[in-house]
């Protein structure tokens, strides 16, 4: 008979700093990125949960900034996905966190 059970190291779990809420976690992740990547995420957040790559390319020309390159960094960090000709926030809280960093404190 095969018995499945979970095993974990309670001490290691206690030592990990796990945030109380998802929004705080994503805000912290975003704030650890370079200013260029944060700016690209802020721009994208203004367009909702996803943006067409063609829109990003148009914005790159208008803003004279390589937004796609910075958004690709966010993809590698797990904040965005890139598929079907679009960048997508991985969670609505990521989009909210990116948008909220525009607010004055």
């Amino acid at each position: 008979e095969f018995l499945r059970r979970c095993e974990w190291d309670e001490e290691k779990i206690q030592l990990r700093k796990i945030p109380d809420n998802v929004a705080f976690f994503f805000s912290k992740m975003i704030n650890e990125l370079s200013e260029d990547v944060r700016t690209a995420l802020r721009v994208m957040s203004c367009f909702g949960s996803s943006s067409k790559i063609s829109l990003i390319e148009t914005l790159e020309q208008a803003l004279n900034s390589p937004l796609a390159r910075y958004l690709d960094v966010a993809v590698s960090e797990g904040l965005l996905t890139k598929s079907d000709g679009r960048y997508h926030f991985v969670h609505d809280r990521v989009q909210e966190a990116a948008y909220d960093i525009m607010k004055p404190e």
Side-chain angles (χ1 to χ4, degrees):
E1 177 178 316
F2 179 72
L3 180 63
R4 293 182 94 139
R5 65 183 190 154
C6 295
E7 293 183 28
W8 60 85
D9 184 334
E10 190 170 335
E11 185 177 334
K12 283 184 181 178
I13 293 171
Q14 295 293 331
L15 292 174
R16 298 234 10 190
K17 293 185 188 249
I18 299 173
D20 291 332
N21 67 56
V22 175
F24 176 79
F25 175 73
F26 287 131
S27 293
K28 187 174 185 310
M29 281 183 70
I30 290 170
N31 284 324
E32 291 174 355
L33 299 171
S34 73
E35 180 61 33
D36 292 328
V37 176
R38 290 194 311 264
T39 297
L41 287 169
R42 278 194 303 265
V43 169
M44 186 177 150
S45 74
C46 295
F47 297 98
S49 63
S50 70
S51 296
K52 288 183 178 181
I53 292 173
S54 60
L55 171 63
I56 299 301
E57 290 168 347
T58 300
L59 290 171
E60 283 183 320
Q61 292 174 0
L63 299 172
N64 195 27
S65 176
L67 294 175
R69 182 173 64 190
Y70 302 134
L71 293 176
D72 286 340
V73 171
V75 169
S76 71
E77 292 293 325
L79 296 167
L80 301 175
T81 60
K82 187 177 179 181
S83 64
D84 302 323
R86 301 179 79 86
Y87 285 100
H88 306 266
F89 283 101
V90 296
H91 194 282
D92 61 328
R93 295 291 189 182
V94 177
Q95 189 251 335
E96 290 173 15
Y99 188 83
D100 285 347
I101 58 177
M102 288 189 284
K103 294 179 181 175
E105 293 186 22

